[in-house]
Short mmCIF file of all heavy atoms in Angstrom, two decimals:
data_model
loop_
_atom_site.label_atom_id
_atom_site.label_comp_id
_atom_site.label_asym_id
_atom_site.label_seq_id
_atom_site.Cartn_x
_atom_site.Cartn_y
_atom_site.Cartn_z
N PRO A 478 6.41 26.96 27.09
CA PRO A 478 5.56 27.88 27.69
C PRO A 478 4.17 28.05 27.01
O PRO A 478 3.23 28.52 27.62
CB PRO A 478 6.23 29.20 27.68
CG PRO A 478 7.63 29.01 27.16
CD PRO A 478 7.52 27.73 26.39
N THR A 479 4.06 27.62 25.73
CA THR A 479 2.78 27.75 25.01
C THR A 479 2.31 26.42 24.46
O THR A 479 3.09 25.55 24.31
CB THR A 479 2.98 28.73 23.84
OG1 THR A 479 3.82 28.12 22.85
CG2 THR A 479 3.57 30.09 24.22
N ALA A 480 0.97 26.41 24.16
CA ALA A 480 0.41 25.18 23.56
C ALA A 480 1.12 24.79 22.28
O ALA A 480 1.31 23.63 21.98
CB ALA A 480 -1.06 25.38 23.34
N GLU A 481 1.48 25.78 21.52
CA GLU A 481 2.18 25.53 20.21
C GLU A 481 3.50 24.86 20.49
O GLU A 481 3.89 23.92 19.76
CB GLU A 481 2.33 26.88 19.61
CG GLU A 481 2.76 26.82 18.11
CD GLU A 481 3.04 28.22 17.57
OE1 GLU A 481 2.53 29.23 18.19
OE2 GLU A 481 3.85 28.32 16.64
N GLN A 482 4.24 25.35 21.47
CA GLN A 482 5.49 24.76 21.84
C GLN A 482 5.33 23.28 22.33
O GLN A 482 6.14 22.41 22.01
CB GLN A 482 6.26 25.58 22.88
CG GLN A 482 6.41 27.05 22.55
CD GLN A 482 7.53 27.29 21.67
OE1 GLN A 482 7.96 26.42 20.91
NE2 GLN A 482 8.06 28.52 21.62
N VAL A 483 4.24 23.10 23.06
CA VAL A 483 3.93 21.71 23.57
C VAL A 483 3.71 20.80 22.41
O VAL A 483 4.35 19.66 22.36
CB VAL A 483 2.77 21.71 24.48
CG1 VAL A 483 2.42 20.24 24.91
CG2 VAL A 483 2.98 22.57 25.66
N ALA A 484 3.00 21.23 21.37
CA ALA A 484 2.71 20.38 20.21
C ALA A 484 4.09 20.07 19.51
O ALA A 484 4.29 18.96 19.03
CB ALA A 484 1.78 21.11 19.23
N ARG A 485 4.93 21.06 19.46
CA ARG A 485 6.32 20.81 18.85
C ARG A 485 7.08 19.71 19.57
O ARG A 485 7.65 18.87 19.04
CB ARG A 485 7.04 22.18 19.00
CG ARG A 485 8.00 22.42 17.81
CD ARG A 485 8.52 23.81 17.99
NE ARG A 485 9.96 23.88 17.87
CZ ARG A 485 10.76 24.86 18.31
NH1 ARG A 485 10.22 25.83 18.92
NH2 ARG A 485 12.08 24.77 18.14
N LEU A 486 7.01 19.84 20.95
CA LEU A 486 7.76 18.84 21.74
C LEU A 486 7.13 17.42 21.56
O LEU A 486 7.85 16.44 21.42
CB LEU A 486 7.70 19.18 23.21
CG LEU A 486 8.48 20.37 23.72
CD1 LEU A 486 8.30 20.55 25.19
CD2 LEU A 486 9.94 20.27 23.37
N GLU A 487 5.82 17.40 21.45
CA GLU A 487 5.14 16.08 21.20
C GLU A 487 5.55 15.49 19.89
O GLU A 487 5.88 14.33 19.85
CB GLU A 487 3.57 16.25 21.20
CG GLU A 487 2.97 16.84 22.42
CD GLU A 487 2.64 15.82 23.52
OE1 GLU A 487 3.05 14.67 23.32
OE2 GLU A 487 1.93 16.16 24.46
N ARG A 488 5.56 16.29 18.82
CA ARG A 488 5.97 15.81 17.51
C ARG A 488 7.44 15.27 17.59
O ARG A 488 7.73 14.21 17.13
CB ARG A 488 5.98 16.96 16.50
CG ARG A 488 4.56 17.16 15.86
CD ARG A 488 4.71 18.02 14.58
NE ARG A 488 5.49 19.24 14.77
CZ ARG A 488 4.93 20.39 15.26
NH1 ARG A 488 3.64 20.41 15.61
NH2 ARG A 488 5.66 21.52 15.30
N ASN A 489 8.31 16.03 18.23
CA ASN A 489 9.73 15.67 18.26
C ASN A 489 9.88 14.36 19.10
O ASN A 489 10.71 13.49 18.78
CB ASN A 489 10.57 16.76 18.92
CG ASN A 489 10.99 17.77 17.83
OD1 ASN A 489 10.98 17.47 16.67
ND2 ASN A 489 11.35 18.93 18.28
N ALA A 490 9.14 14.27 20.23
CA ALA A 490 9.27 13.10 21.14
C ALA A 490 8.87 11.85 20.35
O ALA A 490 9.55 10.78 20.57
CB ALA A 490 8.45 13.29 22.38
N ALA A 491 7.86 11.98 19.52
CA ALA A 491 7.43 10.78 18.73
C ALA A 491 8.61 10.31 17.80
O ALA A 491 8.90 9.16 17.70
CB ALA A 491 6.16 11.09 17.95
N LEU A 492 9.22 11.30 17.14
CA LEU A 492 10.31 11.05 16.25
C LEU A 492 11.51 10.43 17.04
O LEU A 492 12.14 9.51 16.61
CB LEU A 492 10.75 12.34 15.56
CG LEU A 492 11.95 12.27 14.63
CD1 LEU A 492 11.61 11.54 13.30
CD2 LEU A 492 12.52 13.60 14.35
N HIS A 493 11.75 11.01 18.20
CA HIS A 493 12.90 10.52 19.05
C HIS A 493 12.61 9.07 19.44
O HIS A 493 13.61 8.24 19.37
CB HIS A 493 12.98 11.38 20.36
CG HIS A 493 13.40 12.76 20.11
ND1 HIS A 493 13.53 13.69 21.10
CD2 HIS A 493 13.80 13.44 19.01
CE1 HIS A 493 13.92 14.86 20.60
NE2 HIS A 493 14.07 14.73 19.32
N ARG A 494 11.42 8.75 19.85
CA ARG A 494 11.20 7.35 20.28
C ARG A 494 11.34 6.42 19.08
O ARG A 494 11.85 5.32 19.24
CB ARG A 494 9.81 7.23 20.94
CG ARG A 494 9.81 7.80 22.37
CD ARG A 494 8.56 7.37 23.10
NE ARG A 494 7.41 7.98 22.55
CZ ARG A 494 6.94 9.22 22.80
NH1 ARG A 494 7.65 10.00 23.67
NH2 ARG A 494 5.84 9.69 22.28
N ALA A 495 10.90 6.84 17.89
CA ALA A 495 11.07 6.01 16.72
C ALA A 495 12.54 5.74 16.48
O ALA A 495 12.88 4.79 15.79
CB ALA A 495 10.41 6.68 15.52
N HIS A 496 13.41 6.64 16.92
CA HIS A 496 14.86 6.42 16.68
C HIS A 496 15.56 5.91 17.91
O HIS A 496 16.80 6.07 18.05
CB HIS A 496 15.49 7.74 16.19
CG HIS A 496 15.16 8.03 14.76
ND1 HIS A 496 14.01 8.65 14.43
CD2 HIS A 496 15.78 7.74 13.61
CE1 HIS A 496 13.95 8.80 13.09
NE2 HIS A 496 15.06 8.25 12.60
N GLY A 497 14.75 5.44 18.88
CA GLY A 497 15.39 4.76 20.01
C GLY A 497 15.86 5.72 21.12
O GLY A 497 16.58 5.23 22.02
N LEU A 498 15.40 6.96 21.20
CA LEU A 498 15.77 7.84 22.30
C LEU A 498 14.76 7.67 23.42
O LEU A 498 13.62 7.29 23.22
CB LEU A 498 15.80 9.29 21.84
CG LEU A 498 16.80 9.69 20.71
CD1 LEU A 498 16.75 11.24 20.55
CD2 LEU A 498 18.21 9.30 21.07
N ALA A 499 15.14 8.08 24.58
CA ALA A 499 14.34 7.93 25.78
C ALA A 499 13.49 9.17 26.06
O ALA A 499 12.89 9.30 27.13
CB ALA A 499 15.20 7.63 26.96
N THR A 500 13.33 10.07 25.08
CA THR A 500 12.66 11.35 25.30
C THR A 500 11.18 11.11 25.69
O THR A 500 10.53 10.36 25.08
CB THR A 500 12.72 12.18 24.02
OG1 THR A 500 14.01 12.32 23.53
CG2 THR A 500 12.19 13.62 24.27
N ARG A 501 10.80 11.84 26.70
CA ARG A 501 9.37 11.88 27.08
C ARG A 501 8.87 13.26 27.24
O ARG A 501 9.64 14.16 27.70
CB ARG A 501 9.19 11.12 28.42
CG ARG A 501 9.35 9.61 28.33
CD ARG A 501 8.93 8.92 29.64
NE ARG A 501 9.67 9.43 30.77
CZ ARG A 501 9.09 9.99 31.89
NH1 ARG A 501 7.80 10.10 31.97
NH2 ARG A 501 9.91 10.37 32.86
N VAL A 502 7.59 13.53 26.97
CA VAL A 502 7.05 14.80 27.34
C VAL A 502 6.34 14.63 28.72
O VAL A 502 5.59 13.74 28.94
CB VAL A 502 5.99 15.29 26.26
CG1 VAL A 502 5.30 16.55 26.70
CG2 VAL A 502 6.64 15.42 24.91
N ILE A 503 6.77 15.55 29.65
CA ILE A 503 6.31 15.39 31.02
C ILE A 503 5.61 16.67 31.44
O ILE A 503 5.75 17.74 30.87
CB ILE A 503 7.47 15.10 31.97
CG1 ILE A 503 8.56 16.19 31.89
CG2 ILE A 503 8.20 13.75 31.63
CD1 ILE A 503 9.76 15.98 32.84
#
Side-chain angles (χ1 to χ4, degrees):
Chain A
T479 67
E481 193 186 336
Q482 307 280 23
V483 176
R485 213 173 132 198
L486 290 182
E487 301 273 11
R488 275 197 308 277
N489 276 339
L492 178 74
H493 293 177
R494 283 193 295 276
H496 286 84
L498 299 184
T500 310
R501 287 190 301 124
V502 175
I503 59 179

